[in-house]
DNA sequence: ACTTACGAGTGGCCAGACCACTTTCAAATT
DNA sequence: AATTTGAAAGTGGTCTGGCCACTCGTAAGT
């Protein structure tokens, strides 16, 4: 009979310990030598379990300091898979579309969830618009994503945004600023459909520019 | 200066080797001692990388035989992550919502893109419905995702679906089958809004069941 | 021809040893 | 007294070598 893998037991043990000791994200967990002692396993075996957990983004290790429980809201889930996703040379179009899907969903949430109050955020952007201050495209959208409260979606969006090419890291240009205003108004009035529609207009405008510029790498 | 983690390099090296040597799922990869030799690392360090890959379900090790490229995504990842991460309701809810977002986007695409013809697919499901044949929830949705043609979205969905718990892997129950019919009809007629609306109804029904059942471990 | 036993090869696990790095705190210096 | 310095302790990172448990092919024995 094949023994169940030791390092998987260790993973469970560590999880139990974390729960029992009420270790919070960011807290330090016992050192490798200490854990190996208490769990009665060799240090290298213990490390196999720890490295697995680290790859999953559940813990974080810093040489000389120790091992810490990471905020598992930042799941590496997406990163881990992004290596697989990216290897098949997916068309930029899919990335663009998928990112847009997340953004529209966030806007819908922000508009419809009474508990999400973005007045301060919209105000600050309106002021920047009027004062001709620079605004990065991604900065605005990020605020929407954060405000929506879905951390997983935010994480995925953040990745997609990185693969969306330059346009998103650029400043909102002059005429483009006019496209931003109706979005802000609709958000302030919680007019879901109007917000989505005007956001899509803006997004379409950006994409058109992106096409014209031709693609770099 | 903090060195980049060694075992992560090893993970990359192994992946490269797999690609270079054209190792297929199910094939055996070199032994630990052999790999350690060729990659010029200690065996224990190499093992840390291998155990990580094993936990991700990418490889499979059998004592006395060797290490194999696993043929299917046996992600233990899902089990481990779900016990660690998905304890808090917020995360579960985020996963559920995000998955739904991708599904709705796919439905919209399928309805609006003339080039996507799903008649054969809808037909086969209609027949299954009428013949009382078993239908898994995820099977139906997967078809929609695949048909939408956005492969990136499909991959993300595939992951999220695994984290969505049992409900998605279950068969469509008796009364539930009635909820599926309007979705099929709307899809056939390419009525975007109706399709989305009836799909959301179904999805809401599933989620309600999920809540009732309470959580198991 | 069939069965058995052995040995080579494999993963599983462990102990011990360095190394590189961070933190701490007491001693030395100013 | 305040500051700087540096040595020590503790941590993760890695390697070596060893032993065990298991699988499998094959040579030896029947």
């Amino acid at each position: 009979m094949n023994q169940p893998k030791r390092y998987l037991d260790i993973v469970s043990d560590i999880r139990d310990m974390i729960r029992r000791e009420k270790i919070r994200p960011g807290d330090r967990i016992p050192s490798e030598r200490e854990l190996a002692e208490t769990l009665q396993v060799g240090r290298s075996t213990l490390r196999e379990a720890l490295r697995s957990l680290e790859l999953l983004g559940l813990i974080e290790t810093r040489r000389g300091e120790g091992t810490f429980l990471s905020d598992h809201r930042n799941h590496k889930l997406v990163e881990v898979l992004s290596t697989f996703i990216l290897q098949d040379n997916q068309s930029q179009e899919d990335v663009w579309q998928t990112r847009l899907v997340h953004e529209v969903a966030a806007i819908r949430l922000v508009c419809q969830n009474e508990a999400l109050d973005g007045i301060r955020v919209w105000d600050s952007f309106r002021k920047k618009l009027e004062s001709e201050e620079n605004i990065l495209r991604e900065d605005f959208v990020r605020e929407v994503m954060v405000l929506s409260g879905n951390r997983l979606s935010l994480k995925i969006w953040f990745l997609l945004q990185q693969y969306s090419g330059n346009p998103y890291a650029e400043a909102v240009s002059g005429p483009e600023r006019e496209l931003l205003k109706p979005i802000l108004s609709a958000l302030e009035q919680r007019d879901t459909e109007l917000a989505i529609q005007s956001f899509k207009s803006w997004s379409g405008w950006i994409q058109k520019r992106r096409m014209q510029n031709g693609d770099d790498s």
Side-chain angles (χ1 to χ4, degrees), chain A:
Chain A
M1 189 58 64
N2 229 330
Q3 288 268 73
K5 313 271 177 169
R6 201 82 151 79
Y7 83 102
L8 284 179
D9 293 341
I10 299 180
V11 166
S12 299
D13 288 344
I14 293 177
R15 185 200 56 198
D16 291 343
M17 183 205 66
I18 287 174
R19 216 172 289 181
R20 182 163 11 94
E21 310 280 355
K22 298 201 193 331
I23 299 177
R24 312 284 306 171
D27 289 353
R28 191 170 161 284
I29 70 180
S31 74
E32 295 183 350
R33 290 167 178 84
E34 206 171 328
L35 274 176
E37 174 68 20
T38 63
L39 297 183
Q40 286 292 295
V41 297
R43 194 181 152 214
S44 41
T45 307
L46 178 87
R47 276 180 62 83
E48 292 178 11
L50 287 180
R51 292 294 76 70
S52 297
L53 291 178
E54 187 183 17
L55 190 67
L56 292 183
L58 298 175
I59 61 174
E60 194 177 328
T61 58
R62 296 197 280 273
R63 181 194 302 211
E65 299 181 54
T67 305
F68 302 82
L69 197 61
S70 73
D71 183 357
H72 30 271
R73 285 165 167 69
N74 292 346
H75 353 75
K76 271 207 178 116
L77 188 158
V78 183
E79 281 100 336
V80 167
L81 282 126
S82 70
T83 55
F84 297 91
I85 288 174
L86 284 183
Q87 81 186 11
D88 72 37
N89 190 350
Q90 189 53 272
S91 77
Q92 288 280 347
E93 189 57 26
D94 280 1
V95 176
W96 187 274
Q97 269 196 19
T98 305
R99 185 179 47 67
L100 189 59
V101 161
H102 280 259
E103 291 167 350
V104 168
I107 289 182
R108 177 164 271 123
L109 267 176
V110 167
C111 282
Q112 294 180 345
N113 188 337
E114 302 291 338
L116 302 177
D117 184 5
I119 289 189
R120 287 186 311 276
V121 178
W122 313 146
D123 258 9
S124 84
F125 274 103
R126 185 172 292 283
K127 274 178 189 143
K128 283 182 184 171
L129 264 180
E130 287 165 357
S131 68
E132 307 282 331
E133 194 176 340
N134 244 7
I135 300 178
L136 292 185
R137 288 171 184 146
E138 58 177 358
D139 284 345
F140 173 65
V141 185
R142 188 191 301 111
E143 290 289 351
V144 176
M145 296 303 302
V146 170
L147 196 58
S148 81
N150 187 328
R151 300 194 197 85
L152 175 60
S153 183
L154 172 62
K155 194 75 188 176
I156 296 175
W157 173 84
F158 187 72
L159 265 166
L160 297 178
Q161 171 262 333
Q162 290 182 299
Y163 298 125
S164 291
N166 296 341
Y168 241 53
E170 292 172 353
V172 181
S173 66
E176 189 183 348
R177 297 174 91 89
E178 294 305 316
L179 289 172
L180 227 50
K181 290 179 182 174
I183 305 178
L184 276 177
S185 303
L187 284 173
E188 282 168 345
Q189 295 164 22
R190 300 183 109 76
D191 184 334
T192 309
E193 296 310 320
L194 184 59
I196 290 176
Q197 182 201 321
S198 45
F199 179 81
K200 281 185 175 171
S201 298
W202 179 44
S203 191
W205 189 88
I206 299 176
Q207 192 176 14
K208 227 167 76 184
R209 293 271 299 207
R210 171 169 149 265
M211 295 301 194
Q212 291 169 354
N213 288 4
D215 45 314
D216 27 350
S217 109

